[in-house]
Amino acid sequence: MSGIYIHIPFCERKCIYCDFYSIEKLGWIDSFVDSVLREIEIFKKESDFTETSCFDTIYFGGGTPSLLKVSQVEKILNSLYKNFQISPNAEVTIEANPGTVDKEKLFSFKEVGINRLSFGVQSFF
């Protein structure tokens, strides 16, 4: 078994200590999501995965993936499930910063298939 990592490079602001690729151009998110959907389809066609290849984890990392709308996360998940064999017990994680989610958004993430949350805390001040 193996996993799928989707890098969401958007942040409200770049932290000075962060070495991960991230950008503050939040207006690009819609185009980025469309590109991820195209990339999933291209990768499926070009990969050597067989029908028996099964993924047991999906991880949305970044950046701040919780900046995406729930509908955008759902589109990406739907495309992954359509194009690849995903375990019914897959661990599906999204990284989040506390200021980018509320109770409603967290419940909505759960409804679309997120079953694990990774909270990042930049500062307690």
Side-chain angles (χ1 to χ4, degrees):
M1 298 248 194
S2 57
I4 297 170
Y5 176 80
I6 305 288
H7 185 76
I8 308 297
F10 300 98
C11 288
E12 290 178 322
R13 62 192 157 280
K14 179 78 171 163
C15 297
I16 59 171
Y17 59 82
C18 182
D19 290 332
F20 295 105
Y21 176 74
S22 63
I23 56 176
E24 298 174 1
K25 303 196 182 286
L26 303 184
W28 292 4
I29 292 177
D30 288 333
S31 295
F32 177 82
V33 170
D34 290 341
S35 295
V36 169
L37 297 174
R38 285 192 302 276
E39 182 70 20
I40 290 167
E41 291 180 9
I42 291 168
F43 189 77
K44 169 64 176 179
K45 290 176 188 173
E46 301 295 325
S47 72
D48 59 354
F49 292 110
T50 66
E51 294 300 315
T52 59
S53 297
C54 187
F55 295 96
D56 61 353
T57 61
I58 300 171
Y59 193 95
F60 289 87
T64 310
S66 56
L67 287 171
L68 270 61
K69 297 174 191 163
V70 174
S71 62
Q72 293 168 321
V73 173
E74 182 177 33
K75 283 181 187 178
I76 294 170
L77 286 172
N78 286 342
S79 182
L80 290 171
Y81 280 94
K82 174 184 169 193
N83 287 287
F84 299 102
Q85 178 76 22
I86 309 293
S87 169
N89 298 319
E91 181 179 271
V92 184
T93 304
I94 191 165
E95 290 181 354
N97 288 351
T100 63
V101 293
D102 56 19
K103 188 175 177 180
E104 181 181 324
K105 191 169 189 178
L106 292 173
F107 279 117
S108 295
F109 277 147
K110 184 177 180 184
E111 288 176 6
V112 301
I114 301 292
N115 57 28
R116 184 172 179 270
L117 189 62
S118 176
F119 265 119
V121 178
Q122 286 71 36
S123 174
F124 287 108
F125 299 102

